[in-house]
Amino acid sequence: MNWNVLFDFSPLVDEFDKILGAFWSTIRLSLMTGVLALILGTILAGMRVSPTPVLRAAGTFYVNTLRNTPLTLVLLFCSLALSDTLGLKLSNVSTVNFYWLAVFGLSAYTAAFVCEALRSGINTVPVGQAEAARAIGLTFTQSLRMVVLPQAFRAVIAPLGSITIAMMKNTTVVLVASYLEAAALMKDMFEEYGATLPIFLGFAAGFMILTLPTGFLFGWAAKRWAVAR
Amino acid sequence: MIGSVPVQGLPGGQHDVKFQLMTDSGKVASDTPSGGGPLVVLEKVNKYFGDLHVLQDIDLTVHRGEVVVVIGPSGGGKSTLCRSINRLEPIDDGKILVDGEALPAEGKQLARHRADVGMVFQSFNLFAHKTILQNVTLGPIKVRKVAKSTADKEALELLERVGIANQAEKYPAQLSGGQQQRAAIARALAMRPKVMLFDEPTSALDPEMVKEVLDVMTSLAGEGMTMIVVTHEMGFARRAANKVIFMADGQIVEENTPDEFFTNPRTDRAKDFLSKILTH
Ligand SMILES: Nc1ncnc2c1ncn2[C@@H]1O[C@H](COP(=O)(O)OP(=O)(O)OP(=O)(O)O)[C@@H](O)[C@H]1O
Ligand SMILES: [Mg+2]
């Protein structure tokens, strides 16, 4: 048994460019997913508090379904059902195609959590303010956009941070959708060099370099934009 | 009387408020209010909360320029009456007309209607994430489509008028209750409403702040604003109201002039109620 291999950090150095590239993929995946999940989650939250029963029901159904389905299933559905069976092609370049499938699957999943966080934020806004907004003639959507949501967002910056960190870590699951990001590369390197502690530590550190500042940033923003009542 | 700038002579104001002079005693000078025509009309209005019949066959006419004080025991339906006039509460039966038009159902139409009916709440309900100035200009800019510079200018005039122009850049949480309520009045006035509804505007205030808010309301009444005011402030009712409505158990039990109502109520319910609030 060659114990040296277990403590050999050289693969990390040798493959540094590849590793950077893989983490760059993770970052691109996270950013796009973050934006889409935020937009979709906001729309869902709006639906769930809307006066229209059909919209409320649709929002509730979506959230309950996606929140209770394992992410792996969602992504497999995207890659197998959407891509292979239905032949949905977003690009002729297969890595681009897989990128978007992964983004869609991950956004669809994360949006359910964003929606629920936002909804709890909406509950922190006194009902009276929404009534006052309607009383000056704002429509439901206007009062949601201009009065309720801005305050709801500020109230849930910290939980949105947790969701973001979870989402960044969840990007590792997209390897089931065949998109090469950090976790997929780690798996490849395990196969090539053997599953060693240094490789694992290198990748784990890579994720912490991404997630820790994210956590601090959200924590700072939560304080910075707290609404005084 | 404070400056009358914001009510009069602003572009787009479609209601001609008739100005009245106050008599020496400060009381609005007529029992048959200026202008005359009916502005808010309720016909056989009924409203239920489950089994609770909160509004029972309510008939009420408020004329242009008239100030009506609504008074009565807790749970009598005063807030519900107020809220139903701008459809924050939908009614189950009957008709509510504002300026001759029936209340539209939900949607854009309703939003437009609400813009014409100002509302002031017991708990102020200022938008906590916006400055006082932004609170006042939001409606004019987004609903009336007034240019921002114009809206700012008019808002500052209104804030001047309610005596808090120097607080314009502050956030609601930085203001006293009395200042917040005056800001809320300015916010409602900025829409140039045809009628103003006040639901116990002073009952969440510390006693020393009640007067500053009532003074603003009194001068507003003096300028001919049509007002429906739920309040137990007898001084205000006597000074500014044309009519007192006594509401209990979902019904209008008595409709009277303020002087008559407080000195010589016609109904036993009103007598009983007054004896309770007058003893403390
Ligand atoms: N949203 C609601 N759902 C169910 N019941 C309600 C609701 N709002 C008010 N009520 C009930 O309707 C009745 C009338 O309430 P309302 O608030 O209009 O009375 P009020 O005269 O304004 O009383 P107060 O002086 O305490 O403000 C009360 O019995 C109240 O409990
Ligand atoms: Mg009430």
Side-chain angles (χ1 to χ4, degrees):
Chain A
M1 183 117 199
N2 181 2
W3 289 93
N4 277 345
V5 151
L6 277 187
F7 301 101
D8 183 8
F9 280 85
S10 66
L12 290 176
V13 181
D14 295 345
E15 306 279 7
F16 193 66
D17 285 352
K18 250 190 178 171
I19 295 175
L20 273 191
F23 271 107
W24 176 235
S25 298
T26 300
I27 293 172
R28 287 202 316 154
L29 206 53
S30 300
L31 283 178
M32 186 55 76
T33 301
V35 171
L36 288 187
L38 197 61
I39 295 172
L40 183 56
T42 307
I43 294 172
L44 286 168
M47 286 168 71
R48 293 206 68 177
V49 298
S50 99
T52 317
V54 184
L55 288 181
R56 273 205 308 274
T60 309
F61 176 77
Y62 180 96
V63 168
N64 284 337
T65 310
L66 270 290
R67 226 169 30 143
N68 294 299
T69 308
L71 177 58
T72 316
L73 293 197
V74 176
L75 288 167
L76 278 176
F77 174 78
C78 284
S79 70
L80 298 180
L82 290 185
S83 163
D84 297 354
T85 312
L86 295 176
L88 180 71
K89 264 231 157 53
L90 300 148
S91 162
N92 288 326
V93 186
S94 84
T95 52
V96 178
N97 198 28
F98 284 131
Y99 170 77
W100 282 109
L101 288 173
V103 163
F104 285 154
L106 206 47
S107 312
Y109 176 81
T110 309
F113 294 87
V114 172
C115 165
E116 290 309 274
L118 261 184
R119 217 159 56 95
S120 72
I122 289 174
N123 288 334
T124 68
V125 183
V127 184
Q129 286 188 41
E131 288 189 341
R134 282 192 286 152
I136 56 171
L138 297 179
T139 60
F140 172 79
T141 6
Q142 282 179 317
S143 86
L144 200 60
R145 250 181 38 228
M146 295 161 193
V147 174
V148 179
L149 281 179
Q151 296 184 63
F153 270 114
R154 288 153 162 227
V156 297
I157 292 175
L160 284 180
S162 308
I163 292 173
T164 306
I165 289 173
M167 180 268 288
M168 291 167 87
K169 296 191 292 182
N170 280 343
T171 56
T172 54
V173 182
V174 307
L175 59 93
V176 304
S178 314
Y179 181 67
L180 188 84
E181 43 63 68
L185 180 65
M186 186 175 91
K187 192 164 154 269
D188 289 352
M189 285 178 66
F190 276 177
E191 275 156 20
E192 193 173 329
Y193 296 92
T196 65
L197 195 59
I199 296 181
F200 166 75
L201 287 178
F203 278 91
F207 272 99
M208 269 152 91
I209 289 171
L210 295 182
T211 53
L212 281 179
T214 305
F216 286 127
L217 184 71
F218 274 90
W220 171 81
K223 284 210 192 80
R224 169 73 180 70
W225 280 295
V227 176
R229 298 205 190 282
Chain B
M1 190 148 100
I2 335 178
S4 53
V5 193
V7 177
Q8 191 190 38
L10 288 177
Q14 63 282 70
H15 26 276
D16 47 336
V17 174
K18 306 286 189 301
F19 284 80
Q20 291 175 315
L21 290 175
M22 291 164 129
T23 58
D24 291 343
S25 69
K27 184 173 163 91
V28 177
S30 72
D31 283 339
T32 42
S34 59
L39 184 59
V40 180
V41 178
L42 282 77
E43 281 171 19
K44 293 253 169 292
V45 169
N46 283 283
K47 159 95 191 163
Y48 297 82
F49 282 124
D51 288 339
L52 191 65
H53 199 170
V54 250
L55 297 180
Q56 305 178 16
D57 281 332
I58 301 290
D59 286 312
L60 175 67
T61 300
V62 181
H63 294 88
R64 229 171 273 276
E66 200 172 29
V67 176
V68 174
V69 159
V70 183
I71 198 168
S74 180
K78 307 180 296 293
S79 297
T80 310
L81 177 77
C82 242
R83 294 163 57 84
S84 69
I85 293 175
N86 66 356
R87 213 168 183 282
L88 285 176
E89 295 288 355
I91 56 171
D92 295 308
D93 191 26
K95 240 188 357 203
I96 300 181
L97 302 169
V98 174
D99 208 6
E101 283 179 46
L103 290 200
E106 283 298 331
K108 278 237 151 55
Q109 210 70 32
L110 177 61
R112 201 164 312 137
H113 161 84
R114 283 186 178 135
D116 287 341
V117 179
M119 176 126 190
V120 175
F121 302 84
Q122 180 174 352
S123 48
F124 330 135
N125 295 343
L126 293 172
F127 309 133
H129 63 308
K130 292 191 179 290
T131 64
I132 297 304
L133 185 66
Q134 289 168 338
N135 263 274
V136 179
T137 56
L138 183 68
I141 293 172
K142 300 295 179 185
V143 179
R144 299 275 193 231
K145 311 289 183 208
V146 175
K148 184 175 180 298
S149 55
T150 317
D152 280 351
K153 187 171 146 286
E154 291 176 13
L156 282 170
E157 285 167 359
L158 274 169
L159 290 173
E160 185 72 49
R161 181 174 175 211
V162 299
I164 51 168
N166 53 349
Q167 314 289 326
E169 296 307 323
K170 289 193 183 164
Y171 287 89
Q174 297 170 293
L175 267 59
S176 74
Q179 292 171 325
Q180 287 191 51
Q181 192 60 298
R182 286 182 283 156
I185 293 174
R187 175 177 66 183
L189 287 176
M191 300 304 293
R192 287 189 224 107
K194 294 173 181 170
V195 51
M196 287 278 284
L197 310 172
F198 296 79
D199 190 2
E200 306 208 31
T202 57
S203 45
L205 296 177
D206 292 338
E208 73 269 23
M209 295 168 189
V210 169
K211 185 173 177 298
E212 63 192 43
V213 171
L214 289 180
D215 283 351
V216 168
M217 291 168 58
T218 307
S219 71
L220 206 53
E223 286 156 27
M225 176 60 80
T226 311
M227 294 162 61
I228 299 174
V229 187
V230 178
T231 183
H232 291 167
E233 293 293 335
M234 225 183 312
F236 173 79
R238 284 177 175 248
R239 197 162 58 241
N242 305 97
K243 186 155 88 181
V244 169
I245 294 215
F246 177 68
M247 249 192 115
D249 298 331
Q251 290 169 323
I252 293 180
V253 178
E254 179 167 343
E255 201 173 317
N256 213 333
T257 62
D259 282 336
E260 273 292 300
F261 180 79
F262 290 113
T263 50
N264 195 13
R266 285 194 293 261
T267 55
D268 290 340
R269 292 272 340 229
K271 271 182 203 141
D272 184 48
F273 174 76
L274 285 173
S275 74
K276 277 178 193 143
I277 64 163
L278 291 181
T279 48
H280 47 244

